[in-house]
Amino acid sequence: MATAPRFQFTEGTPQYRTYKLIGYGILLLLVLVVAFAYNDTGSITLFDNDYKVSITRVTKAISFIIAILGLQVVAGFTGQLSLGQGFFFGVGAYLSAWLVSDHNWPWLLTLVVIIPTCFIFGMAFGIPALRIKGLYLALVTLGLAAILPSLILLDKLEPYTAGAAGKQTDSDLVPPGWLPLDGIVDALHKLPLVGSYFGDGDGLSSREEQRVWTFFIMTIVAVVCFKMVGNLIKSRPGRAIRAVRDNETSAAVNGIGLAYHKTMSFGVASALGGVGGMVYVAELGIASPGDFTQLLSILFIVGLVVGGVGTLSGAVIGGLVIAFVPDWASSTQNFPGVPERWLQGPTGGLILGLMLIVLTFVLPGGIVAGVRRLRARFVRVNPARPPLLTTGDPTTNALADSATVDAASVND
Amino acid sequence: MELFINRIFDGLSNGATYALIAMALVMIFKATTLINFAQGEFAMFGGFIAYVLATERGVPMWGAVVLAMVISALLAAGIERTLIRPFDPADHLPLVIITLGLFLAINAVAGIVWRFDPRAFPELFPSGNAASIGGANLSWYTIFTLLTVLVVAGALTLLLNKTKIGLAFRAVSSNLESSELVGIKVGPTLQFGWAIAAAVGTLAVAVFVATPVRQIEPNVMITGLIFAVSAAALGGLDSLGGAIVGGLAIGLVQSIVVPYVGVPSELSLLAAVVVLMLVLLFKPSGLFGTPAVERV
Amino acid sequence: MALLEVNDIEVRFGGIVALSGLTFDIEEGQICGLIGPNGAGKTTMFNVISRIYDPTHGTLNFSGRNLLKTPPHQIAKAGIFRTFQNLALWPRMSVIENVMAGAHVRSKENFGTAMLNIGRKKEEKQLATEAFSILHDLGLEHVAFNQCAGLPYGTLKRIELARCLIGRPKLLMLDEPATGLTHSEVDLLSEVITGIRDRYDLTILLVEHHMGLVMGISENVVVLDFGRKIAEGLPVEVQENPAVVEAYLGVPAS
């Protein structure tokens, strides 16, 4: 690198902590803005097109983000190409819809059922993965994802799934009485300059309140998921699954059980898929079989690749992309130079397909890779060095000499 | 009994389509060990080209199909040259992503251009029944679809065994590095494989929808691809003959086994996936494929 | 009792006899060199010990216990670690993560405790410290946080060594460690190997073609030819053994 980055931080120092705090602060601000601004009324207008930026759409994006996070675990970090994440998303969606509407369970409680169920199913999915690798695993998992709609439409299951009509849930997440959402919106509305973005000054309707509350709860669910996966990656099992990804044979020789780690990884990924499904149905209010075809699994892969395989922030970007691109693409009725006829139809699918192709050439690491490269020009974080056990000399002095030779070439 | 025989005929005629798409998959697999996830969409797109040529341009039906086969072959060759060749054939991951991207993009383009309402495809074969066997009607359609499979298989075999480019193709399938070393141009040879595969796929879709009970629409091959993949795996991913056997077998499983086992027809796809999984788990080289030998 | 007792080992691949009647011992703390012309069966023997191959005949005892009962993914737990000729690091992890993963069998954190962040912080910190120390020992602490991909070949070899060392092996098997190294690098390697044997209390089995290295550091040399042992002993004895000379150089034309 020609010039050193402007900001350098070392882990563990106060300056680093401040840097992190500012980062989290900005994220928190973003969450608040999304929650209260443009509450279902907002849209951006470009070229005579109305692009909706509503909180419901963001909550839907969160469901996708969680599903893609699961894919990151199994495909990004363990190297198992699963095209079946949509299956677990659908299972989670239907399970929670059934528990909530037929048995009056609170939404979050359904996770107690969804997580173990999807985990165990996922581990079962992982068993073929022990013998079937790469491309063929992708095929088999795609096949499994494709059959979910037919399973849902089975006559035998109709009492639970409501068949082709879709399973409706009337239960919404109702914010607690003590939370002054109304008051917050009013206060924000009074802010100079930006106030007009925060509602119309007449408070929130109960439906709007529910939406905001759902958004907050689901954001927290997502944050918890991210924290857990982040913990996983930095730990012993996290290193183990990445070793399986990078070189199975040497992983086995170093005592890393391939079967165990692959199946566990599938389990975790599928559980996250199920959680995503719950979020989806909680927001949408209905689970229909047509939403959970193998196309959804392919869409998740698009999100995975576009965001950046093997990264956590890639899941966020990927989820946002696959939630908004098709939506905004179909909202695009006018675009300069393009005849209107070509803008109707699944332009979103076309854009996503083209994104996959272009990114593979230009930015195989996904958008995150590009962002990181940019950021590396301005900020570098140096890892904290663990203490040395002994201050004694290295094994041989000769080694220390050769080390300096290597150091010169490595730090270029 | 008559129902049973009817079911056999149905199974064979569906199986013929699966066999044709499976042959297309095998062509690409033989050369590159890659499964083209977009094969079904290539085929569907080619089918639509035939449709447009026949209904909007007034080209006689079979002429339209042949022309569509040529056009789709050229398009596939272009795609191979620009999107596939830049990548190392041994590294599957970017290629899988690209074929998935093509899957989405081509399906979307078909949806944009032709919308999603199903359209009746002109018939390619004489309608009506040729014979009555055991009380069941054997339609000309069934006979001719099977004949098409045989003709295509024959043509491909001739192509691979009696032409120079066929020889090059077989060499590249057998050993890529050695082929390069003896001066075979690997790129154009693979391109040829992609082109042939696309042409065969186009024919498959055309034959599939050229009957009053089916129509052509952009999603026609979405589940069909999975049946074809199962068929190809069952027969052996590098065996053309195996693709035929596999295709017919999957077609028969779908029409006979599924109803008799009492499984609802929606789950015939499940049956195909189960077959695929069992094959990959226990006999990855399928019935007629060459087993991969691994050196420790 | 020797640390590793190889007794009458035979390995067949179909009709080909790769090893036959092979018997030798490796004493604890020893550096043992396994040499022989190409195709003599050295790698086969290596793979038998790392349990990738099963012998058709014979016994293999490690610390007095039957090693043939141990499956390949458990040899690490038994205390046997090996390097690979073509390097088998995990390129997308950092150097220190590669080394820490080498301690997989010694640590306890599992999926649950990891995700919920329960009580394993101490173990993790300890592992990191240990890994860093080993890297320091091998002169690698300046690349500890770099990704493995892109580092020079000699560095990668030492990283693989570090990964073995953190496992606290009883037996360390080195598969042609001198391959691809320059003359001066091989000298350094000799010092490294004897150094770590002393410092980490190891027994080392070395398969190698570089005669200078093997003869220089081995305390016992076993020579194979066509799957059979043709000589064993101190380096100087083996070097003068006529059978060994013949195996490598042939017999003078008469």
Side-chain angles (χ1 to χ4, degrees):
Chain A
M1 223 175 301
T3 49
R6 266 187 83 204
F7 300 102
Q8 290 209 41
F9 301 106
T10 308
E11 275 180 3
T13 59
Q15 298 95 324
Y16 179 68
R17 256 167 265 166
T18 315
Y19 165 72
K20 278 259 140 184
L21 226 62
I22 296 181
Y24 286 134
I26 295 179
L27 277 173
L28 196 61
L29 211 66
L30 223 66
V31 167
L32 285 174
V33 166
V34 170
F36 293 110
Y38 278 139
N39 196 310
D40 197 42
T41 59
S43 56
I44 306 171
T45 310
L46 209 63
F47 299 129
D48 287 332
N49 299 305
D50 217 24
Y51 294 113
K52 298 230 179 293
V53 188
S54 65
I55 205 175
T56 48
R57 287 177 170 77
V58 179
T59 311
K60 185 172 89 161
I62 292 179
S63 74
F64 290 165
I65 287 172
I66 297 177
I68 297 178
L69 183 66
L71 259 188
Q72 292 286 10
V73 172
V74 73
F77 292 112
T78 317
Q80 309 298 300
L81 186 57
S82 165
L83 257 56
Q85 189 70 329
F87 182 89
F88 299 103
F89 195 81
V91 166
Y94 267 94
L95 253 186
S96 56
W98 171 62
L99 286 169
V100 167
S101 64
D102 289 357
H103 296 275
N104 283 315
W105 281 39
W107 281 102
L108 290 182
L109 194 63
T110 63
L111 289 179
V112 169
V113 171
I114 291 177
I115 291 179
T117 309
C118 287
F119 189 88
I120 294 176
F121 268 124
M123 286 184 71
F125 242 56
I127 293 174
L130 301 177
R131 289 276 294 264
I132 307 175
K133 302 215 196 300
L135 184 57
Y136 309 109
L137 182 64
L139 280 173
V140 169
T141 49
L142 184 68
L144 287 169
I147 63 178
L148 185 62
S150 23
L151 287 175
I152 294 171
L153 290 168
L154 279 176
D155 286 332
K156 274 212 192 89
L157 291 180
E158 220 247 322
Y160 307 101
T161 64
K167 186 99 183 151
Q168 283 198 316
T169 63
D170 316 304
S171 167
D172 288 310
L173 284 159
V174 179
W178 49 264
L179 199 64
L181 290 171
D182 244 0
I184 298 179
V185 174
D186 276 336
L188 287 168
H189 188 70
K190 299 206 172 74
L191 286 174
L193 282 180
V194 294
S196 56
Y197 290 114
F198 294 98
D200 309 313
D202 55 358
L204 294 167
S205 72
S206 71
R207 207 181 54 152
E208 290 174 333
E209 282 198 338
Q210 279 167 13
R211 287 212 181 95
V212 174
W213 182 241
T214 310
F215 169 72
F216 275 141
I217 294 292
M218 297 312 169
T219 304
I220 294 175
V221 168
V223 166
V224 169
C225 289
F226 269 87
K227 194 73 176 78
M228 295 210 298
V229 173
N231 287 340
L232 177 67
I233 299 304
K234 286 184 293 195
S235 67
R236 169 184 180 253
R239 288 188 289 270
I241 60 178
R242 284 182 289 152
V244 169
R245 172 192 67 186
D246 287 352
N247 191 322
E248 270 187 28
T249 317
S250 71
V253 161
N254 277 284
I256 295 173
L258 294 178
Y260 174 75
H261 285 90
K262 282 186 185 177
T263 46
M264 288 295 280
S265 175
F266 261 97
V268 170
S270 312
L272 284 168
V275 172
M278 181 280 282
V279 174
Y280 183 79
V281 154
E283 175 49 57
L284 208 65
I286 181 171
S288 359
D291 282 352
F292 307 113
T293 64
Q294 79 257 41
L295 207 56
L296 182 64
S297 289
I298 294 181
L299 227 58
F300 286 148
I301 296 284
V302 175
L304 176 76
V305 173
V306 167
V309 181
T311 64
L312 293 182
S313 32
V316 176
I317 295 180
L320 289 170
V321 166
I322 64 173
F324 282 101
V325 165
D327 191 38
W328 284 354
S330 56
S331 302
T332 309
Q333 299 293 322
N334 303 297
F335 198 84
V338 182
E340 200 184 309
R341 201 230 179 248
W342 297 108
L343 290 171
Q344 292 154 1
T347 42
L350 179 59
I351 295 177
L352 289 176
L354 290 176
M355 271 179 110
L356 264 191
I357 296 173
V358 169
L359 276 173
T360 310
F361 279 93
V362 167
L363 210 55
I367 291 180
V368 165
V371 169
R372 281 185 182 168
R373 250 184 259 164
L374 265 176
R375 193 181 62 173
R377 294 218 198 119
F378 303 103
V379 180
R380 178 155 80 191
V381 177
N382 298 316
R385 306 195 140 213
L388 280 174
L389 277 178
T390 62
T391 47
D393 295 325
T395 303
T396 67
N397 286 321
L399 271 177
D401 292 338
S402 74
T404 38
V405 170
D406 272 352
S409 55
V410 161
N411 285 333
D412 277 341
Chain B
M1 189 56 190
E2 136 187 351
L3 183 61
F4 182 73
I5 301 185
N6 259 324
R7 287 214 168 109
I8 294 186
F9 294 150
D10 280 340
L12 288 175
S13 97
N14 285 340
T17 306
Y18 301 146
L20 284 169
I21 306 257
M23 283 197 277
L25 288 169
V26 164
M27 285 296 286
I28 294 190
F29 182 85
K30 265 168 101 71
T32 62
T33 65
L34 183 67
I35 302 265
N36 180 8
F37 279 93
Q39 195 69 57
E41 303 313 291
F42 282 18
M44 173 275 294
F45 202 80
F48 261 104
I49 294 178
Y51 173 82
V52 165
L53 288 172
T55 58
E56 289 173 25
R57 304 278 161 172
V59 180
M61 198 53 224
W62 269 106
V65 171
V66 170
L67 200 52
M69 284 167 72
V70 171
I71 296 176
S72 59
L74 291 171
L75 286 173
I79 288 177
E80 192 279 339
R81 180 68 186 83
T82 53
L83 299 179
I84 309 288
R85 204 176 303 178
F87 295 97
D88 174 12
D91 182 11
H92 280 161
L93 187 58
L95 292 171
V96 169
I97 303 292
I98 295 219
T99 54
L100 283 177
L102 284 169
F103 175 94
L104 285 174
I106 296 177
N107 187 278
V109 169
I112 293 172
V113 175
W114 293 298
R115 307 303 161 89
F116 286 96
D117 14 279
R119 306 175 188 222
F121 200 86
E123 287 189 53
L124 285 170
F125 307 120
S127 52
N129 298 313
S132 185
I133 301 183
N137 291 321
L138 176 60
S139 63
W140 283 115
Y141 177 74
T142 307
I143 295 183
F144 274 103
T145 48
L146 290 170
L147 221 60
T148 309
V149 172
L150 291 174
V151 167
V152 168
L156 284 177
T157 311
L158 274 176
L159 191 64
L160 288 180
N161 290 325
K162 302 279 185 206
T163 66
K164 199 160 158 220
I165 192 157
L167 180 62
F169 187 82
R170 282 185 291 133
V172 167
S173 314
S174 170
N175 191 321
L176 196 113
E177 282 136 10
S178 301
S179 306
E180 277 181 316
L181 288 171
V182 299
I184 295 179
K185 296 211 179 78
V186 169
T189 310
L190 294 180
Q191 196 177 24
F192 165 77
W194 278 73
I196 296 287
V200 170
T202 299
L203 181 62
V205 166
V207 164
F208 184 64
V209 295
T211 168
V213 303
R214 283 192 276 258
Q215 298 83 30
I216 190 169
E217 51 95 15
N219 289 331
V220 71
M221 272 294 137
I222 298 258
T223 47
L225 178 70
I226 302 193
F227 285 108
V229 167
S230 296
L234 180 62
L237 282 163
D238 61 350
S239 161
L240 284 175
I244 300 179
V245 171
L248 295 176
I250 295 282
L252 288 171
V253 163
Q254 187 183 17
S255 64
I256 297 182
V257 172
V258 167
Y260 277 102
V261 171
V263 174
S265 60
E266 287 99 12
L267 290 190
S268 59
L269 186 59
L270 173 64
V273 172
V274 168
V275 167
L276 175 65
M277 189 158 61
L278 290 175
V279 167
L280 289 178
L281 274 175
F282 297 112
K283 197 166 192 325
S285 52
L287 292 171
F288 299 104
T290 39
V293 182
E294 240 187 82
R295 218 178 147 211
V296 181
Chain C
M1 180 193 68
L3 182 65
L4 185 73
E5 291 168 337
V6 179
N7 210 329
D8 206 24
I9 286 284
E10 177 191 85
V11 176
R12 281 177 180 273
F13 296 120
I16 301 180
V17 179
L19 292 176
S20 127
L22 188 52
T23 302
F24 66 95
D25 286 347
I26 305 181
E27 298 295 331
E28 202 164 331
Q30 199 179 53
I31 296 181
C32 175
L34 186 59
I35 65 174
N38 274 321
K42 311 185 292 294
T43 309
T44 309
M45 186 65 236
F46 227 63
N47 286 337
V48 167
I49 301 176
S50 27
R51 303 298 298 111
I52 297 176
Y53 295 156
D54 280 319
T56 39
H57 185 81
T59 64
L60 188 64
N61 285 329
F62 184 68
S63 286
R65 284 171 28 231
N66 182 0
L67 190 62
L68 294 177
K69 287 214 177 111
T70 312
H73 62 272
Q74 293 194 339
I75 63 162
K77 218 169 184 137
I80 301 178
F81 282 79
R82 64 167 287 180
T83 62
F84 286 84
Q85 206 180 326
N86 290 321
L87 284 183
L89 290 173
W90 300 303
R92 283 154 73 185
M93 286 202 276
S94 68
V95 170
I96 195 170
E97 283 181 313
N98 265 267
V99 176
M100 285 165 78
H104 186 87
V105 289
R106 281 177 40 216
S107 29
K108 289 209 170 10
E109 199 178 10
N110 61 38
F111 275 81
T113 58
M115 293 206 289
L116 299 171
N117 208 356
I118 303 175
R120 288 291 162 197
K121 258 212 167 89
K122 203 169 112 183
E123 179 186 85
E124 184 80 1
K125 234 183 188 148
Q126 194 182 24
L127 270 181
T129 313
E130 237 185 282
F132 196 69
S133 288
I134 294 176
L135 287 173
H136 169 80
D137 252 5
L138 294 175
L140 292 170
E141 81 264 23
H142 59 286
V143 292
F145 298 99
N146 293 31
Q147 265 213 333
C148 274
L151 292 176
Y153 188 70
T155 308
L156 294 174
K157 291 216 124 169
R158 271 184 282 152
I159 298 172
E160 219 191 358
L161 207 55
R163 187 177 69 180
C164 287
L165 289 175
I166 201 175
R168 298 208 189 132
K170 293 196 201 128
L171 174 65
L172 176 62
M173 307 209 295
L174 302 176
D175 191 356
E176 302 197 27
T179 311
L181 296 186
T182 66
H183 200 66
S184 51
E185 283 173 332
V186 173
D187 288 339
L188 274 177
L189 183 65
S190 298
E191 291 181 35
V192 172
I193 295 179
T194 42
I196 61 174
R197 189 272 305 265
D198 297 332
R199 195 182 173 99
Y200 291 90
D201 209 16
L202 302 171
T203 308
I204 296 184
L205 172 62
L206 179 65
V207 162
E208 186 48 69
H209 275 298
H210 193 291
M211 281 305 140
L213 175 64
V214 172
M215 297 303 181
I217 63 174
S218 305
E219 282 129 16
N220 188 30
V221 177
V222 176
V223 188
L224 300 183
D225 192 21
F226 291 114
R228 299 190 124 84
K229 182 174 82 173
I230 59 172
E232 181 180 359
L234 293 171
V236 68
E237 295 167 359
V238 161
Q239 274 169 317
E240 290 170 357
N241 187 316
V244 174
V245 174
E246 185 180 327
Y248 273 100
L249 298 176
V251 179
S254 43

